[in-house]
Amino acid sequence: MKFIIDGVAGKTVATGCATAAARAGQLEVRSSLPVLDTPAPLIRCRGGAIPHLTHETLQYLDTANRTLLIPYQYHSTQTDVLKAYQKGLGSFLGEKDRMSMLTVQDPGEETKSGYNQNKAISVWSGCNRNIVDVDGYKQFVKVAQPDIVVPLCDGDTPPDSTSKRINKAAKRTIDFLDSFLELKDENPKMNVVAAVEGGLDPVVRKLSAIETSKRNVDAFLLDGFHSNGTAAESLRWEAIKEPFLETIFHLPAEKPRFFLGPAGPRLLLELVSAGVDVFDTSYPNLVTERNAFLVFNNKFTKDWDPLEGADNHDLMFEKNFENDEMKMEMRSLVEGCSCYTCRNFTVAYLYHLVHVKEMLAKVLLSLHNLHHYLTFFKSIREAILADQIHLLHRQILQPL
Amino acid sequence: RARAADMTLPHSVVQTPIFMPVGTQGTLKGIIPEQLEALDCRIMLANTYHLGNRPGEQVLKAGGGLHKFMNWPRSLLTDSGGFQMVSLSKLTEITEEGVNFESPYDGSKCMLTPERSIEIQQAIGADIMMQLDDVVDSTCKDEDRFEEARHRTVRWLDRCIEAHTRPDKQNLFPIVQGGLDEGKRKDCADQLTKRNVPGFAIGGLSGGEDKSTFCRIVKVSAENLPDDKPRYVMGVGHQVDIIACVALGSDMFDCVFPTRTARFGSALVFEYPGELQLKKSKFKMDFRPIDENCDCSTCQNYTRAYLHTVVTKEPSACHLVSIHNVAHQLRLMKRARDAIIEDKFPQFVAKFMLDLYPDKKYPDWAQQAFQGVGISLEE
């Protein structure tokens, strides 16, 4: 994995704070594929598919050189199938020309707490639980052949966790990492994104970061700050700031940082400003699941004068179809949006689809929401390169 | 008796014989219209009954008609709304005026008249629309009811024609009724033929009647309709049924079967047994596409083994199998059409049936139907 930083926001301070700044970069994973501009979102999969989309309909979205995020939890019983298939998990899912990253738990689905064991992690698929140890996980990775992989880790540290739980999670994760890295010895080209744990305990966080940094890994996943799914949408920066920054301060600046979980515009900007490079699309997926569409201002206006702003802190970032006036509205979901849905369909049609519970509703909403979110990432990158990321925090609060 | 033709409609040219997928509520389950264009689908169905309720006539008019509303640039066909009323409503009372029924949504009393049906269908704007007919379930035992129904159907046709103000933009098809009595069918067909209409539908079948009766009635109805106009057998269906009807002289078909069965993870194929139940464990390690000769995007990118892991679990699995099933039906029709044009239809039918029944234990009704038009299957 090659990571080149094009630009860093803010003044460079000659202390540990230097690594807690927004960066715009380029990530090269497979030399045969174009680089990924960061900050960037991975395309999160659920149950072996991008929610509501297929290989064909994915083309309606601009997802050139975007990497898939595939949660192991849905594939834990497929080791034998993939072994016979031989072409890897990405190809199995119909996306052989895309890069894929394997993670343990799905950031878009709540992970049940309290089911991990001393040497094994519990993963759920529907109502079925599977228990996997490092060896089982390594066997899977060998046949899944992901371009990027998160080693088996224990991120089960909800806010009310005991100190014992937090320490266990952190230590176990390092042990898993060391065992897992034996695979990297055999395959030096394997890209490892090591999970850094520690719940909300800044001391454990610092230790985890330092220990993990000593290992031969390519990137870091800031894990264990939430339990995934809709509940994680209400995660507030203020609640995790201290342990989060403690982690960042003790990670090498030149390696990419990953954060997986539903990050709405506010949290996303805070995480970017703290120095995270790669995210995922679970947030727009969850918006789609509640039949809503993103409407927040995702454009970056360079040299915007903050004094002209009319910040609305109650501004809704999304809208739904509960307003019956939408029944006859023949305009697009968001004026000026260039996504496939907004170019070809009206609010009235989507209203109809949602109210008669047709599957196409979520297909079209997915296309819009993913496009909206992906566009926001482009704006973020532009803002960082213009060293105006601080303006973006306020621009998202402006009416469209 | 099989024919191939080009049917020019306001929104597209349709090559018959043709299968029309059904997009009941102004959408084909989870499929974006452009995907259907990619399959070279030229015409699809929408249901007047459903659309008349939701989103309703007003919204459709404001939206510029259904084509624009759902972003489907090719042809549409709407039914009259009559069939759903009878099948979905708990209380229907048919009078000379129209069909009195209870809305399943809010229990209110509604009346669908021939005039009203035409009004709604005009708001929808489909290239082909159906008359409101007096449809009786084919398993009904009351002969008088069938007699009454077919006469009323003719009277309602005249009212529909009278109410239709856009014959240049929308084609109104009458529907041949008459139950399972050949005489009644012939007479009904004769009556309808006297009117100046662009095509005909054969209705009142695909209920509970047995297949040999079904074929007999389709044959009689088709025989008594003019050769130079399309014949549409409503509600057909399964592969063998379609090919039998083509052999008997029909041109257009519609059925929810391909898209409905996709939802349950069932993929259509040409070889025995005609359907793959992808949920079955035998597909767990089957790394072939559904059909190696199919060029739909599902077969180009996915294996049976993959589909086995996602059908009935992920919504996108339904889309994938639906796309394939529609592609399959369209390919079936194209093969039939090409065979007819090359004057090799009997050979096509023989091979088609052999692929589906390699043990040559063909269903009797099909064998008889084909024999009746001079097509013999391989023994």
Side-chain angles (χ1 to χ4, degrees):
Chain A
M1 191 185 270
K2 277 193 225 138
F3 186 54
I4 300 164
I5 299 176
D6 297 321
V8 182
K11 317 179 197 65
T12 318
V13 181
T15 67
C17 299
T19 59
R23 313 102 74 79
Q26 290 175 56
L27 194 58
E28 186 196 278
V29 177
R30 252 198 245 170
S31 52
S32 55
L33 286 174
V35 295
L36 192 61
D37 285 337
T38 67
L42 302 164
I43 308 288
R44 167 226 169 210
C45 298
R46 172 193 74 191
I50 298 155
H52 309 286
L53 298 179
T54 64
H55 179 90
E56 189 184 12
T57 50
L58 197 56
Q59 327 269 33
Y60 294 115
L61 194 61
D62 173 24
T63 51
N65 63 299
R66 295 215 175 271
T67 305
L68 297 179
L69 178 72
I70 308 173
Y72 167 77
Q73 72 180 80
Y74 302 112
H75 305 278
S76 63
T77 55
Q78 293 171 4
T79 308
D80 53 348
V81 178
L82 291 172
K83 187 167 183 201
Y85 183 62
Q86 297 185 337
K87 296 186 208 156
L89 183 56
S91 177
F92 190 63
L93 302 195
E95 297 294 332
K96 65 182 187 322
D97 295 324
R98 274 186 203 283
M99 292 192 295
S100 60
M101 170 164 160
L102 183 76
T103 187
V104 183
Q105 311 285 6
D106 178 6
E109 196 76 36
E110 184 164 345
T111 307
K112 296 199 217 290
S113 181
Y115 288 92
N116 292 339
Q117 298 172 357
N118 205 13
K119 297 222 189 286
I121 298 294
S122 284
V123 288
W124 298 79
S125 185
C127 305
N128 300 313
R129 176 162 80 113
N130 204 7
I131 302 168
V132 60
D133 60 14
V134 193
D135 285 330
Y137 192 72
K138 278 157 81 174
Q139 271 171 48
F140 181 83
V141 170
K142 276 193 197 154
V143 295
Q145 305 161 29
D147 297 278
I148 311 171
V149 57
V150 177
L152 195 66
C153 54
D154 182 350
D156 186 10
T157 50
D160 54 354
S161 295
T162 59
S163 185
K164 183 176 172 193
R165 171 94 278 277
I166 294 174
N167 278 282
K168 264 215 174 107
K171 177 167 191 316
R172 205 176 274 167
T173 299
I174 301 266
D175 290 340
F176 288 158
L177 173 62
D178 285 335
S179 171
F180 186 83
L181 284 174
E182 289 163 20
L183 257 188
K184 194 168 159 88
D185 296 336
E186 295 164 35
N187 308 283
K189 279 208 190 141
M190 191 172 74
N191 297 296
V192 176
V193 180
V196 183
E197 307 290 348
L200 295 178
D201 184 330
V203 175
V204 181
R205 283 276 167 196
K206 176 176 169 180
L207 282 171
S208 297
I210 291 171
E211 279 307 305
T212 313
S213 303
K214 290 181 188 163
R215 273 72 177 169
N216 175 23
V217 298
D218 304 277
F220 302 93
L221 169 65
L222 281 88
D223 196 36
F225 287 98
H226 60 81
S227 302
N228 302 313
T230 315
E233 279 194 81
S234 43
L235 190 67
R236 283 167 37 254
W237 174 242
E238 292 71 33
I240 63 170
K241 184 174 173 179
E242 201 201 332
F244 199 90
L245 289 177
E246 264 300 277
T247 316
I248 292 275
F249 289 160
H250 296 94
L251 292 175
E254 69 276 7
K255 290 187 181 174
R257 292 82 170 260
F258 288 60
F259 175 88
L260 300 179
R266 275 208 179 93
L267 180 63
L268 181 59
L269 285 176
E270 296 289 3
L271 293 171
V272 164
S273 301
V276 180
D277 309 291
V278 184
F279 301 84
D280 72 274
T281 54
S282 49
Y283 171 67
N285 290 160
L286 292 176
V287 174
T288 301
E289 289 312 311
R290 37 182 189 263
N291 283 328
F293 54 100
L294 292 174
V295 297
F296 68 89
N297 179 19
N298 61 352
K299 301 264 159 57
F300 166 61
T301 309
K302 198 159 182 246
D303 304 325
W304 176 69
D305 184 356
L307 292 174
E308 286 176 21
D311 295 13
N312 182 355
H313 289 270
D314 295 324
L315 198 69
M316 296 296 286
F317 294 129
E318 67 189 61
K319 272 199 191 146
N320 59 26
F321 293 92
E322 280 166 29
N323 181 354
D324 286 334
E325 281 176 20
M326 296 168 97
K327 193 174 182 199
M328 293 275 272
E329 204 178 303
M330 298 303 165
R331 288 176 301 195
S332 51
L333 293 178
V334 170
E335 212 177 289
C337 177
S338 60
C339 82
Y340 184 79
T341 302
C342 289
R343 280 185 285 119
N344 292 289
F345 301 92
T346 58
V347 170
Y349 185 63
L350 264 311
Y351 176 96
H352 165 66
L353 293 178
V354 167
H355 282 263
V356 298
K357 298 189 170 59
E358 275 289 342
M359 294 179 101
L360 190 61
K362 292 200 164 78
V363 175
L364 295 179
L365 287 174
S366 290
L367 289 176
H368 170 79
N369 290 333
L370 286 171
H371 175 94
H372 198 92
Y373 200 57
L374 262 50
T375 305
F376 188 46
F377 273 87
K378 286 201 187 118
S379 299
I380 290 176
R381 193 179 142 80
E382 268 177 53
I384 296 172
L385 291 172
D387 200 9
Q388 294 185 358
I389 187 79
H390 52 284
L391 287 182
L392 213 50
H393 285 258
R394 293 197 48 211
Q395 285 183 13
I396 56 171
L397 298 175
Q398 305 307 314
L400 259 183
Chain B
R1 286 165 186 263
R3 334 83 80 68
D6 284 351
M7 182 168 63
T8 305
L9 296 168
H11 285 86
S12 66
V13 174
V14 177
Q15 298 179 314
T16 68
I18 188 63
F19 175 79
M20 304 179 284
V22 182
T24 308
Q25 306 198 89
T27 155
L28 204 73
K29 293 274 173 280
I31 306 296
I32 296 176
E34 221 175 291
Q35 290 179 274
L36 285 179
E37 282 184 78
L39 293 178
D40 203 21
C41 174
R42 306 275 179 93
I43 178 169
M44 59 177 279
L45 238 84
N47 287 106
T48 302
Y49 176 75
H50 293 85
L51 294 171
N53 278 298
R54 303 182 296 185
E57 209 184 327
Q58 261 197 316
V59 175
L60 286 167
K61 277 200 187 132
L66 185 59
H67 287 93
K68 189 151 179 243
F69 193 56
M70 65 182 286
N71 196 39
W72 170 245
R74 294 187 178 174
S75 298
L76 282 170
L77 185 151
T78 45
D79 63 340
S80 64
F83 180 73
Q84 268 85 30
M85 266 187 329
V86 169
S87 59
L88 294 178
S89 216
K90 287 198 188 69
L91 246 61
T92 38
E93 195 207 334
I94 302 179
T95 66
E96 186 59 28
E97 200 193 334
V99 185
N100 236 325
F101 66 103
E102 215 176 71
S103 162
Y105 301 112
D106 59 9
S108 63
K109 292 260 182 286
C110 310
M111 163 76 90
L112 186 68
T113 61
E115 291 76 16
R116 186 80 189 106
S117 172
I118 295 300
E119 220 180 346
I120 303 173
Q121 290 190 75
Q122 285 192 192
I124 294 172
D127 301 71
I128 299 175
M129 42 197 238
M130 307 307 297
Q131 69 155 117
L132 181 65
D133 55 338
D134 186 358
V135 52
V136 181
D137 193 292
S138 58
T139 55
C140 172
K141 299 292 174 225
D142 182 1
E143 277 307 311
D144 290 339
R145 181 71 191 97
F146 284 113
E147 187 68 14
E148 177 193 46
R150 71 177 179 89
H151 285 301
R152 181 173 291 144
T153 292
V154 176
R155 290 193 294 275
W156 279 3
L157 170 65
D158 288 336
R159 283 167 65 182
C160 285
I161 293 175
E162 183 72 27
H164 185 35
T165 55
R166 315 169 71 212
D168 54 324
K169 293 257 164 52
Q170 296 180 263
N171 296 285
L172 175 61
F173 277 27
I175 306 178
V176 178
Q177 294 293 350
L180 305 176
D181 179 294
E182 293 187 29
K184 290 195 175 76
R185 284 274 171 179
K186 181 182 184 312
D187 188 61
C188 188
D190 286 343
Q191 293 291 321
L192 299 177
T193 307
K194 289 185 189 154
R195 276 78 180 162
N196 180 21
V197 288
F200 300 87
I202 298 167
L205 296 170
S206 325
E209 76 280 348
D210 68 275
K211 286 273 163 62
S212 35
T213 311
F214 166 77
C215 285
R216 197 169 37 88
I217 300 302
V218 169
K219 187 173 180 195
V220 162
S221 306
E223 268 170 359
N224 288 286
L225 290 169
D227 277 340
D228 61 345
K229 293 188 177 167
R231 302 165 185 151
Y232 163 32
V233 185
M234 306 180 81
V236 173
H238 294 243
Q239 300 185 68
V240 182
D241 301 5
I242 294 178
I243 296 302
C245 288
V246 170
L248 297 171
S250 323
D251 313 291
M252 298 163 63
F253 310 93
D254 83 280
C255 195
V256 293
F257 171 66
T259 38
R260 177 173 291 168
T261 206
R263 257 185 283 160
F264 301 112
S266 182
L268 301 176
V269 290
F270 290 113
E271 329 85 54
Y272 170 81
E275 272 180 66
L276 303 179
Q277 306 294 353
L278 293 164
K279 275 190 88 166
K280 291 215 144 83
S281 55
K282 68 178 185 182
F283 294 110
K284 185 175 174 193
M285 305 272 207
D286 191 340
F287 301 123
R288 294 172 289 174
I290 296 171
D291 182 336
E292 262 147 353
N293 298 315
C294 183
D295 58 6
C296 80
S297 63
T298 303
C299 291
Q300 293 300 302
N301 293 287
Y302 300 91
T303 60
R304 298 172 182 194
Y306 168 74
L307 291 167
H308 170 75
T309 64
V310 287
V311 287
T312 71
K313 292 195 196 139
E314 280 295 320
S316 50
C318 172
H319 312 333
L320 288 174
V321 185
S322 291
I323 285 285
H324 168 77
N325 286 357
V326 171
H328 175 90
Q329 296 287 87
L330 294 177
R331 246 183 336 138
L332 172 66
M333 303 316 290
K334 178 138 204 323
R335 288 186 185 182
R337 179 184 155 84
D338 289 345
I340 294 168
I341 291 173
E342 289 166 33
D343 203 12
K344 292 201 171 112
F345 188 65
Q347 296 95 310
F348 161 75
V349 175
K351 178 163 195 309
F352 165 73
M353 291 300 281
L354 185 60
D355 285 340
L356 273 179
Y357 300 96
D359 57 1
K360 300 186 185 169
K361 293 201 168 73
Y362 310 111
D364 282 334
W365 67 267
Q367 205 152 15
Q368 279 158 25
F370 289 125
Q371 249 155 29
V373 287
I375 297 173
S376 51
L377 303 177
E378 250 196 69
E379 290 301 324

